[in-house]
Amino acid sequence: MSSTFAPGAKTEEDNLLVKSPEKLAELESYIDSLPLSENPDRNRGFLIQSLHKAQEIFTYLPGCVQQYVADKLKLHRSEVYGVISFYSFFTDQPVGRHKINVCTGTACFVRGANKILDEFKRYLNIKEGETTPDGKFSLGALRCVGACSLAPVVMLNDKVYGNVTTKMVPEIINDCED
Amino acid sequence: MTINSAEALKEHVAKLKSAAAPETKILVSMGTCGIAAGTTPVLEAINKYIEEKNLQNAFEVVEVGCMGLCHSEPSIEVINTVSGNSIIYGDVSEVQVQAIIDAGADEIARGTKTVERTWYYPEKEENTTNAIQAKVVLKNSGRINPEVLDDYLVNDGYGALAKALCEMKPQEVVDEIIASGLRGRGGGGFPTGKKWQFAAAQKTDEKFMICNADEGDPGAFMDRAVLEGDPHSVLEAMAIGGYAVGAHTGVIYIRAEYPLAIKRLRIAIEQAEKAGLLGKNIFGSGFDFNIELKYGAGAFVCGEETALIHSIEGMRGEPTFKPPFPAVQGLWKKPTIVNNVETYANIGAIIRKGANWFKTIGTAGSPGTKVFALAGKINKVGLVEVPMGTKLKDMIYTLGDGIVDGKKFKAVQTGGPSGGCITASMIETEIDYESLKALGSMMGSGGMIVMDEDDCMVNVAKFFLEFTLDESCGKCTPCRIGNKRLFEMLEEICDGRGTMETLDKLKSLSMTIKDTALCGLGQTSPNPVLSTIKNFEDEYLAHINEQRCPAGVCTSLISYQINDKCVGCTLCARNCPVNCISGEKKQLHEIDQSKCIKCGVCFQACKFHAIDKI
Amino acid sequence: MINLTINNMPVQVTEGATILEAANKLGIKIPTLCHTRLDCFNVEHRSGSCRICVVEVQGRPNLAPSCCTPAMEGMIVKTNSIRAINARRTMLDLLLSDHPKDCLTCEKNLNCQLQALAHELDLHHVLYKGEQSTYNKDLSSRSIVRDLDKCIMCRRCETACNTVQTVGVLSGVKRGFEAVVAPADLRPLSESQCVFCGQCVLACPVGALTEMSYKYDVWKAINDETKTVVVQTAPAVRIAIGEEFDMEPGSIATGKMVTALKMMGFDKVFDTDFAADLTIMEETTELIERVTKNENLPILTSCCPGWVKFLEHQFPELIYMPSSAKSPQQMFGAITKSFYAEKMGLKREDIIVVSVMPCLAKKYEASREEFSTDGNPDVDIVISTRELADMIKEAGIIFDRLEDSQYDSPLGESTGAAVIFGATGGVLEAALRTAADWIAQKDIKEIDFEAVRGLEGIKEATVNVAGIELKAAVCSGLGNARALLERIQRGEAQYHAIEIMACPGGCLNGGGQPYIHGDTTILEKRLKAIYQDDQNATIRKSHENPSIKALYEEYLGKPGSHKAHELLHTGYTPRKCW
Ligand SMILES: Cc1cc2nc3c(=O)[nH]c(=O)nc-3n(C[C@H](O)[C@H](O)[C@H](O)COP(=O)(O)O)c2cc1C
Ligand code: SF4
Ligand code: SF4
Ligand code: SF4
Ligand code: SF4
Ligand code: SF4
Ligand code: SF4
Ligand code: SF4
Ligand code: SF4
Ligand code: FES
Ligand code: FES
Ligand code: FES
């Protein structure tokens, strides 16, 4: 175990690989199932799907997980970070237990998505891309989930709320038990 | 079951056709919007009722992909397979299910809303109705169960692949596509056949077919509908393309935001492999073709083909300059075809019916159909597929049923953040690649966002630039810094700080960015600015010279004030999110302007028109 | 051949040539910023990202970046149309709108390509204003300062670090206006596997990457009456420093440099070349021992701290391979603070050793823990060639008018074998000269091992050293080193000895050398100068250096002795790749 434990886990919280051997095993078996050896020059092509998997398992991508993926695919850690920081889907920060995403795509925009987003910001007292101090909610904006007919649209975790009004904001928040 | 020859396919289809089926079919729309709007409980109710009443032999329930009727989801269609009668119900609720099933396909159930069918299928029938829509790309979507291979096969599925592999030489396939005049539906409109020809001419050991399913343009969801509703059509077309250009690997790059489409593609690939329709020696022709899925991770620029290729290669999605074009040097430096989902969805029909048939649809320069996603302030939001050359007016007023709440139509944005707006005066335009370009917009992927009198066009331009800023890869100077400056200038104007000099700078910087940016994103990002300045200059001038936002949107330039119609009902005060309205019951209320966040809640709440937006 | 017209003049170029190259052929300079090429190493950075080089091509809807647009048959190009000129100025204007414009106090003042461009394009007014990106300055390392507020996103450093050196510290991070180049997690360089070769500093056209400066510390030391301040100058400094004073590249300025150092007030002006000779004594002893015993082969040179750190991070399993001999800089420090201190009756704390190096990694090397005793480092301060030049200028010394002076004795005496340390292949050649004599036990006259000279990245030679066939390889640039080491790991290549230098071309192209701005002919001239200096030397073999002989006789005993090991050898530590 310790040989696969990647360096760079600076804080206790960051040290996910050590704390969750079963999660690591899941990631490992996923990456090992990829046809990596067929053409090692093309291993890099598996990076993004490996990161998707890793984020699915760990909910975010702390340094040590990035390092682990980098080592497995024989990439530099900086390249992995470069990729993670490029794609808005990936995050290296812990996320809230409930993810609220307000669609700010064009259709939702013309139907007042910004007001909805502002209301969430005000209500949760956090900015876009942040998580409430209690770790319960993260607030984000995304661009079109393809449900434009229901604009404005809010996604709470995997659930789509359509035709949202500012009034519904507290209701949506109250829908989250934990 | 494996289908290892063209004959085997024919036999299999014949068997499927002759198999006994219940007389009545109920199609339930199970696309993303349908599900979001609540089709799942309706489906459950239908199944439950059929089971309860033991009607399994009379009714077949088919979970289909998108029918394009977003405005009326949950929607279902009841079809009598013998008489051909069909009824489409919209806004179906669980309680209506019994009545609908009881009524069958020949009679409209009471207490329901029906939706008129506006489309025809040019591959099957003449345009007998006066329907505006022609379904080529979406011919199966909303009609078959996308998760059942036989449903696809029985509708000519994989027939085109069989024809190409067994009856045509690769060059003949390329020639047919060239002859059809099919142009890329991903935005640029580049002739697909020509692109294939380039790749076919390359002599290398390896080539790739990529399907661009990134669909990052917000407000566009046609590719999603195809993938959710008819995934096999894309697989089949990729294999045909692979055969034509000499590629044996296909890659579908799909955005991670489309989980349902991903799921259905996975199922489809697995089914096709199992049936021998993908893999080694397809139809005994000796041609091998495999397809893998790669996922996006939230970057609009990855729709650009070179960025997409980098993303598949596991890198940051930064575009590179062309030439070399991907058809010459693409994925892993090998010749690569990148085509859009909708482009692929046309291929099967062209091979089956021929280039000449295809050219009978649409205009001379842009043959075929185009799928548009109507969204925004329009009554019938949804997907429509119309022959190229259809008038904008027909789309907005006939198919889209006009503007919400009877407001005034102001503009429609086509081409998303890369496009421009078309105004009321251009409503007679017959839409195709050339005409849109001439209007300073572009086809783009086919999103149409309709805006009404309440939309401030300066603010709309600012919105699009904000999008571009967020999505710029940051590689080149004009887009990384130039768009930031454009955005800041628009902010100034929206805040009432703009001057005529700002407007001049806005225009000239926009032109330079278009002229110098590295990729399509930057080259088109100033389009919304330029086109709103061109068409709505008066709005800009009102912001600049009068510090006034004519549409009443820009918050710095508006305020809410209570007039003497106020009866003191306190409703506004109770609704104000920041509690800045004071006043005794039955007394004139007052807004503390220093605290008001201009959310407009009070304005909407007041039933006495006692609040003015100034 | 392709025919095209640029600014009304016909020109013919080979297929694949860019518009930029075609224009150059006509004597037209198109300004560039992100584009760069190092011809002698076959490196080209063509990101096409700055858009400064745009030109108008007839029939093309938008402007074309000339650095990456291939010339096409019949093309009609205008490089100076008003449209192109305006676009170019707008690009510059935009870059400056997101730039601190601190030229007066900037490390790269007068060496900056952005500044030069503003001058060239005659820009006197910045039209666009707005938010500027701000980052924390990275002052974490001994070697390199990163001030990303000045970064223009040309990505040249990435090519240097990732493609050429394959160290892989730097990557583009984030996107859009926030995009910048940084190590993973935006960490400081000191926490990365950066080897401080400084190739990125050479690549950076602006002041975003510069060296950590110790000029003031040197002035302070010189002015400290209680200290004896000793300076050593590395082999590659003398053949490059003249460039800073507009002398012809390739001028050998040893004498003037020594004069300048004396004028500046150093108590003793010594030569790292002396320590280079010493290195050869120790390393050759080890080489011969390993070859005769046929164990632990190949032996790798260890005088380049950039390369050593690279090995520690990226090939920890091979750390038994390098020679245990310290680098010349550190040998010099160790001998100065022991032998020389004793000789002069000084305590080590009383002596301050200043190094003038072509190198930024040497700054880091001097700070490695194993190179100090009780917290007192063997080498106290390291400055680069550029810093020395700055100090000379600051002191008001008119360099090119100086008379020559001689190094002080005894640590100033050296041989031709030492001076070639400054070029790739030099260390190996110097070792071979000594090895040949020692194995044959006679004074061999054929000492020019031409096969290991030159700027190519990997050179191989089988040399007959007094009857023994030695398979040797020389490699410069860490990308080449990686390729070679991987071949060795896979068992595809076998050598007795390998010289590795981190910088492409060796120290003559070190991270601390005067900027060449892409003109690689300068490197070729430096190379020539080094071998010229070797030819000019009366003694050309390290073991014949009389001061070295005396040092062994008086103090160290024999090469490889216990005392020599204590002072002149070291060990290596595996490090994490992060
Ligand atoms: C910023 C940008 C985003 C794009 N996004 C998409 C997209 O989401 N889907 C798509 O098919 N094409 C997109 N394109 C166009 C592609 O680069 C490419 O031209 C297209 O996939 C080619 O397919 P086609 O010839 O079938 O249209 C985009 C282009 C740019 C510049
Ligand atoms: S135009 Fe924008 S998205 Fe395209 S390469 Fe330049 S910075 Fe990236
Ligand atoms: S606009 Fe919003 S914040 Fe202002 S008074 Fe009305 S409700 Fe309150
Ligand atoms: S809602 Fe209208 S009428 Fe009622 S208190 Fe407010 S302003 Fe007055
Ligand atoms: S980097 Fe160049 S332009 Fe910028 S402040 Fe320094 S010298 Fe001036
Ligand atoms: S050029 Fe201008 S800013 Fe620079 S030193 Fe001279 S006067 Fe001052
Ligand atoms: S000094 Fe060398 S290793 Fe460090 S970042 Fe620069 S190029 Fe890379
Ligand atoms: S740090 Fe220097 S070399 Fe690197 S991208 Fe920025 S400006 Fe270019
Ligand atoms: S090659 Fe020379 S200049 Fe470069 S890092 Fe090594 S010692 Fe320093
Ligand atoms: S714009 Fe919000 S779902 Fe499409
Ligand atoms: S119902 Fe299919 S996309 Fe909306
Ligand atoms: S020099 Fe050509 S784009 Fe930068």
Side-chain angles (χ1 to χ4, degrees), chain C residues 96 99-116 118 149-152 205-208:
Chain C
L96 292 179
H99 194 87
K101 301 183 276 292
D102 289 338
C103 301
L104 286 182
T105 50
C106 180
E107 197 66 40
K108 281 256 169 94
N109 191 7
L110 296 187
N111 262 315
C112 169
Q113 282 172 264
L114 184 64
Q115 189 188 45
D149 292 4
K150 294 178 182 162
C151 173
I152 51 146
V206 293

Side-chain angles (χ1 to χ4, degrees), chain B residues 136-141 144 152 157-158 226-227 229-240 265 268 341-349 352:
Chain B
V136 177
V137 167
L138 295 175
K139 86 171 177 83
N140 286 332
S141 184
I144 67 167
Y152 182 65
Y158 289 99
V226 171
L227 296 170
D230 195 15
H232 281 287
S233 68
V234 175
L235 306 186
E236 181 181 3
M238 289 176 74
I240 294 171
L265 273 172
V341 171
E342 191 183 333
T343 312
Y344 279 121
N346 278 294
I347 301 288
R352 278 194 303 274

Side-chain angles (χ1 to χ4, degrees), chain B residues 402-420:
Chain B
I403 309 303
V404 177
D405 293 340
K407 296 242 174 165
K408 233 172 83 195
F409 168 74
K410 186 172 201 174
V412 52
Q413 176 83 15
T414 65
S418 321

Side-chain angles (χ1 to χ4, degrees), chain C residues 8 47 116 175 213 236 239 280 304 310 352 465 511 568:
Chain C
N8 307 320
S47 62
R175 70 181 187 208
S213 167
I239 48 93
I280 289 302
C304 166
F310 180 76
I352 292 184
V465 184
L568 307 180

Side-chain angles (χ1 to χ4, degrees), chain B residues 4-66:
Chain B
N4 47 21
S5 67
E7 290 69 46
L9 177 66
K10 275 196 196 108
E11 277 165 32
H12 182 72
V13 171
K15 212 160 71 197
L16 289 175
K17 280 191 173 152
S18 62
E23 185 176 321
T24 311
K25 261 199 209 175
I26 303 180
L27 310 185
V28 185
S29 166
M30 293 293 283
T32 295
C33 331
I35 294 171
T39 26
T40 315
V42 173
L43 175 71
E44 279 162 9
I46 293 172
N47 283 331
K48 194 166 147 229
Y49 187 66
I50 288 178
E51 198 168 319
E52 268 170 21
K53 292 270 154 161
N54 245 327
L55 295 169
Q56 287 91 336
N57 291 330
F59 287 90
E60 181 189 358
V61 180
V62 188
E63 297 170 33
V64 298
C66 170

Side-chain angles (χ1 to χ4, degrees), chain A residues 44 49 52 82 87 111 146, chain B residues 224 294 296 298 313 315-316 376:
Chain A
R44 173 195 274 284
Q49 67 204 74
H52 270 302
Y87 294 97
R111 292 202 180 211
Chain B
R224 197 204 79 216
K294 292 278 177 184
E313 290 173 346
M315 297 198 273
R316 293 162 59 79

